Amino acid sequence: MKLTEEMLKALPDARGHFGAYGGRFVSETLFDSLLTLEREYKRLKDDPEFQAEFDRDLAHYVGRPSPLYFAERLSRETGGAQIWLKREDLNHTGAHKVNNTIGQALLARFLGKKRVIAETGAGQHGVATATVCARLGLECHVFMGEEDIRRQSPNVYRMKLLGAEVHSVTSGTRTLKDAMNDAMRDWVANVDDTFYIIGTVAGPHPYPLLVRDFQSVIGRETREQCLDRTGKLPDALVACVGGGSNAIGMFYPFLTDESVELYGVEAGGLGIESGQHAAPLSAGRPGVLHGNRTYLMEDENGQIAGTHSVSAGLDYPGVGPEHSWLKDIGRAHYVSVTDDEALDGFRKLTRVEGIMPALETAHAVAYAIKLAASMDKDKVVVINISGRGDKDMQTIAEIDGIEV
Amino acid sequence: MSRIEGVLKSLKGQGRKALIPYITAGDPHLDQTVDLMHTLVDAGADIIELGVPFSDPMADGPVIQQACERALRHGTSLRQVLAMVKTFREKDDATPIVLMGYLNPMEAMGQEKFADAAVDAGVDGILTVDLPPEEADEVAPLFTARNLDAIFLLAPTTTDDRIRAISEHSSGYVYYVSFKGVTGAGKIDVDEVASKVAHIHELTALPVAVGFGIRDAATAAAVGRVSDGVIVGSVLVDTIARNQADPDQLKRALSDLLHPMREALDSLAS
Ligand SMILES: Cc1ncc(COP(=O)(O)O)c(C=O)c1O
């Protein structure tokens, strides 16, 4: 299907649907808040004052635009297409997540909410939320699975230093999905004074819309920088997909550019055949969770399945609804790489370019290297380097059998 | 007239209020649920809300979350919940059963197949916590065509326009959630509930049942006074958790909890 600007403008529709996906599947208590948020966001989106403040913060607080870097040595060693890196890891707090938390915290302030909640997996979204809350003087509560608190402990301490309260979630699988459940439960109880900053393009409408809008700065800059540096549009974009926010932020401004191939890389864990993975687009089916209809990992009775990934930020059984739609219409390709491949990607980028990616990002790196190797030298592949790997030292050291 | 409508009409005729207990199917074990349902009826239940366990019960507090985990540990599926209702119907053809749960297990079965199976089992109403009427345009006709009541939630945050719209999509009764929060939080404000329910009564002719925060005879009576019925959930599920080791003791404990609520509600009868 050839996408046009008009088609994109019409999505999501009035009920928050991207084709068959998205929507607002929440308990009644939250419904009015979602309607208010949608109304206010649609108003502020076109408010020059709001946009100017957002742009100013991205420039002077986050440090945008982030560089588009030509990974010359990696390209040469790979022996195929040119590999370029969009350096979201250089943002303040070390990942793309902050683009979104800046935007949503501004919304919270415009709505007069004094208390903020967030869920986090890898802790990057939690840190980015705690950061903007510190700056704006908002009370901040972050929900994080017990298992993720263990494997991402540096980020837990960062959040605490920033003044956030970190709530350990011990229900279900004790990872990101359960953290989101508990954040929703907190929100229902405190809906009057609390703003829920969701960290990815999932959840009930209007979250997939507003998070995508805030993250689209990644793709807009990439487009301009790529034209400027290479004289043409990229041939392929590669991004990892947990909930899908860094991927949609990169893809969205290119959706109508048919020549640009889009690759979303899911967490293949121990391999798709093993069942131990977190790749709903590659191996799941449509269902309803966390307020939206989307591809999910579930069993034959509709119970949400446990997931596995070496990276906490991809360890999630769902995915943003816009990705489900892009998959069905065939505009984006969704693929997966295993834990081991991602670790190889991590080591490769670290050793060859001196850039240490987050384990989430390492999935995109691993796939992009394979992809570039199969392409001609005059082609351009851009990887979204969604975050830096400092937070993963402990996980890598454990795998290497080293005490740090 | 649906079984639910019939029961609520007849109660109203007698000036009585509906007592609607909730338990999670498969908790503590699949083999016990049907027995527990009969126990609830013997102790005075007018309608039973039977919870379909879900892995991610986002609207529930720890008590019902753990009930879901217990039920799922034994592999309780929607198919098995329907089988329980069918077995229950062998002995009880009068007490309406409302299945209460989350959308995904129902979708996974297939909505049409689910609607057929529900009718076949003897289910009377469906309450899907995470399905607002805005998203129900595909399933609602399937339910209506089979005379299954679609029961929707109203909350303290529901605006008048939505109260009207939701009531229009509902049949049987509407379920008013008494406070902002998850199940089991227990901070009901009876005066606030009274004024909101009175207001809902002005906007719809459907009976209004109130749930969340009803834990004993006193709260049941206070809320019963201003509504058409009360739903009692977490306190029963908590009793199940505490008595799971001894099935006979469990039945006695449930009876002992429900009986005084029944009496308190009936003492309101005009
Ligand atoms: C660095 C990094 N990349 C990617 C992700 C995955 O999220 P998303 O798919 O929303 O970009 C995370 C999530 O924690 C992350 O920290």
Side-chain angles (χ1 to χ4, degrees):
Chain A
M1 187 195 305
K2 163 102 178 89
L3 294 176
T4 63
E5 293 295 339
E6 286 68 51
M7 290 164 81
L8 292 183
K9 266 206 201 89
L11 290 176
D13 68 15
R15 293 191 298 163
H17 290 202
F18 300 87
Y21 305 102
R24 253 181 309 230
F25 296 88
V26 294
S27 59
E28 177 57 25
T29 310
L30 294 177
F31 213 92
D32 191 56
S33 269
L34 291 171
L35 292 176
T36 305
L37 178 59
E38 183 194 358
R39 195 173 53 240
E40 290 300 305
Y41 175 64
K42 289 204 163 141
R43 184 174 66 78
L44 289 168
K45 197 160 92 90
D46 301 317
D47 176 347
E49 202 183 315
F50 180 85
Q51 276 309 329
E53 189 163 357
F54 181 55
D55 292 344
R56 210 160 45 233
D57 284 352
L58 288 185
H60 304 297
Y61 190 68
V62 175
R64 303 203 71 90
S66 65
L68 180 67
Y69 164 76
F70 178 36
E72 204 171 345
R73 189 160 170 234
L74 180 64
S75 303
R76 203 174 334 116
E77 288 208 359
T78 302
Q82 297 174 24
I83 299 172
W84 292 69
L85 311 178
K86 178 60 175 167
R87 298 291 308 277
E88 292 299 301
D89 59 313
L90 294 178
N91 292 342
H92 179 42
T93 72
H96 71 290
K97 296 286 181 187
V98 72
N99 302 326
N100 168 48
T101 59
I102 293 269
Q104 289 200 50
L106 274 182
L107 280 177
R109 215 192 55 202
F110 272 76
L111 291 171
K113 306 272 174 162
K114 297 269 182 283
R115 181 177 180 273
V116 163
I117 57 171
E119 85 294 338
T120 198
Q124 286 303 122
H125 175 60
V127 166
T129 304
T131 298
V132 297
C133 286
R135 178 168 172 251
L136 297 177
L138 300 169
E139 180 186 330
C140 181
H141 297 265
V142 179
F143 294 86
M144 189 168 185
E146 197 179 43
E147 165 66 10
D148 293 338
I149 285 182
R150 188 191 62 76
R151 58 180 166 168
Q152 306 278 237
S153 60
N155 271 343
V156 177
Y157 190 52
R158 282 170 86 192
M159 288 184 264
K160 288 181 181 164
L161 287 175
L162 288 160
E165 195 173 317
V166 180
H167 300 260
S168 172
V169 176
T170 56
S171 56
T173 58
R174 299 161 192 231
T175 56
L176 182 52
K177 137 182 116 67
D178 309 284
M180 194 145 179
N181 288 337
D182 267 15
M184 291 268 194
R185 289 175 185 129
D186 180 288
W187 195 26
V188 172
N190 300 289
V191 63
D192 294 329
D193 70 341
T194 295
F195 191 100
Y196 182 12
I197 299 190
I198 295 185
T200 191
V201 281
H205 181 62
Y207 282 98
L209 164 70
L210 60 92
V211 178
R212 178 253 271 160
D213 287 355
F214 293 142
Q215 290 292 3
S216 290
V217 65
I218 302 172
R220 279 198 307 275
E221 286 177 5
T222 301
R223 203 166 193 287
E224 216 170 280
Q225 291 166 321
C226 191
L227 284 170
D228 188 40
R229 303 278 299 283
T230 72
K232 58 172 199 155
L233 289 177
D235 297 288
L237 303 173
V238 184
C240 66
V241 177
S245 68
N246 87 87
I248 208 80
M250 179 59 115
F251 295 173
Y252 191 72
F254 293 93
L255 288 181
T256 57
D257 299 310
E258 256 182 306
S259 67
V260 183
E261 299 281 348
L262 311 174
Y263 294 89
V265 187
E266 295 190 299
L270 305 179
I272 297 291
E273 334 68 60
S274 72
Q276 303 287 307
H277 58 81
L281 290 166
S282 307
R285 62 184 163 112
V288 172
L289 179 70
H290 292 152
N292 61 140
R293 178 174 281 117
T294 192
Y295 278 86
L296 293 177
M297 288 178 54
E298 54 178 290
D299 69 14
E300 71 279 10
N301 295 315
Q303 305 297 341
I304 306 307
T307 51
H308 165 81
S309 171
V310 69
S311 86
L314 303 185
D315 208 348
Y316 180 68
V319 64
E322 195 162 12
H323 286 292
S324 294
W325 176 70
L326 289 171
K327 172 190 159 75
D328 281 9
I329 64 168
R331 177 62 187 95
H333 311 280
Y334 294 93
V335 296
S336 66
V337 308
T338 64
D339 286 353
D340 286 346
E341 289 174 303
L343 287 163
D344 287 346
F346 171 89
R347 289 180 215 281
K348 183 89 182 180
L349 192 66
T350 302
R351 289 296 184 86
V352 173
E353 293 288 350
I355 294 171
M356 204 179 282
L359 279 177
E360 291 78 18
T361 314
H363 288 72
V365 173
Y367 187 78
I369 291 173
K370 283 198 280 191
L371 179 69
S374 72
M375 292 166 70
D376 292 338
K377 284 198 166 36
D378 61 335
K379 301 288 185 193
V380 170
V381 173
V382 179
I383 311 175
N384 193 5
I385 303 298
S386 58
R388 67 179 187 221
D390 311 44
K391 69 181 177 61
D392 296 311
M393 289 303 89
Q394 193 159 317
T395 305
I396 308 272
E398 257 172 47
I399 289 167
D400 287 344
I402 293 167
E403 271 226 35
V404 284
Chain B
M1 198 186 319
S2 75
R3 206 160 3 205
I4 294 173
E5 230 183 311
V7 163
L8 291 174
K9 269 224 168 87
S10 121
L11 283 169
K12 196 173 177 96
Q14 305 162 37
R16 294 171 70 224
K17 308 294 181 168
L19 176 58
I20 310 176
Y22 165 99
I23 59 172
T24 304
D27 172 37
H29 199 275
L30 286 87
D31 304 343
Q32 285 165 268
T33 299
V34 174
D35 220 16
L36 294 183
M37 290 165 75
H38 290 303
T39 304
L40 297 175
V41 175
D42 292 342
D46 298 302
I47 297 172
I48 293 175
E49 282 189 4
L50 188 62
V52 180
F54 183 48
S55 53
D56 296 82
M58 278 176 309
D60 288 297
V63 168
I64 293 179
Q65 284 171 46
Q66 282 156 24
C68 286
E69 285 186 14
R70 283 192 296 274
L72 291 174
R73 216 173 296 135
H74 300 121
T76 310
S77 66
L78 178 54
R79 217 172 299 275
Q80 284 160 321
V81 177
L82 291 167
M84 293 173 199
V85 176
K86 199 162 192 167
T87 310
F88 173 83
R89 281 275 172 258
E90 288 169 7
K91 284 197 201 150
D92 185 331
D93 200 28
T95 310
I97 304 292
V98 174
L99 290 190
M100 179 168 186
Y102 294 79
L103 183 57
N104 204 52
M106 305 178 193
E107 277 209 356
M109 181 178 275
Q111 290 288 10
E112 182 144 20
K113 204 164 148 201
F114 166 62
D116 283 337
V119 171
D120 177 62
V123 169
D124 302 285
I126 313 287
L127 198 174
T128 314
V129 178
D130 55 351
L131 182 70
E134 280 83 351
E135 296 287 354
D137 46 2
E138 275 171 41
V139 296
L142 297 176
F143 293 166
T144 313
R146 289 162 181 78
N147 206 22
L148 280 170
D149 285 318
I151 293 149
F152 288 100
L153 301 174
L154 299 174
T157 51
T158 309
T159 56
D160 285 4
D161 282 351
R162 282 186 63 77
I163 292 176
R164 280 191 212 96
I166 292 171
S167 305
E168 237 155 69
H169 284 86
S170 307
S171 57
Y173 57 95
V174 290
Y175 183 138
Y176 178 64
V177 174
S178 71
F179 57 75
K180 298 169 203 157
V182 292
T183 54
K187 48 177 182 182
I188 191 165
D189 175 339
V190 175
D191 291 339
E192 208 180 290
V193 171
S195 74
K196 187 79 180 190
V197 172
H199 185 61
I200 295 169
H201 273 139
E202 287 169 14
L203 300 176
T204 176
L206 283 172
V208 181
V210 178
F212 284 43
I214 290 149
R215 43 187 53 252
D216 52 23
T219 44
V223 173
R225 191 169 289 124
V226 299
S227 66
D228 302 296
V230 301
I231 299 137
V232 188
S234 291
V235 67
L236 295 174
V237 175
D238 189 43
T239 300
I240 292 175
R242 280 188 289 102
N243 294 283
Q244 53 184 308
D246 182 344
D248 289 323
Q249 171 58 27
L250 169 54
K251 283 195 273 181
R252 271 198 303 278
L254 284 180
S255 267
D256 290 349
L257 242 166
L258 221 48
H259 255 305
M261 297 192 201
R262 174 80 274 166
E263 280 171 12
L265 286 176
D266 286 346
S267 71
L268 299 171
S270 36

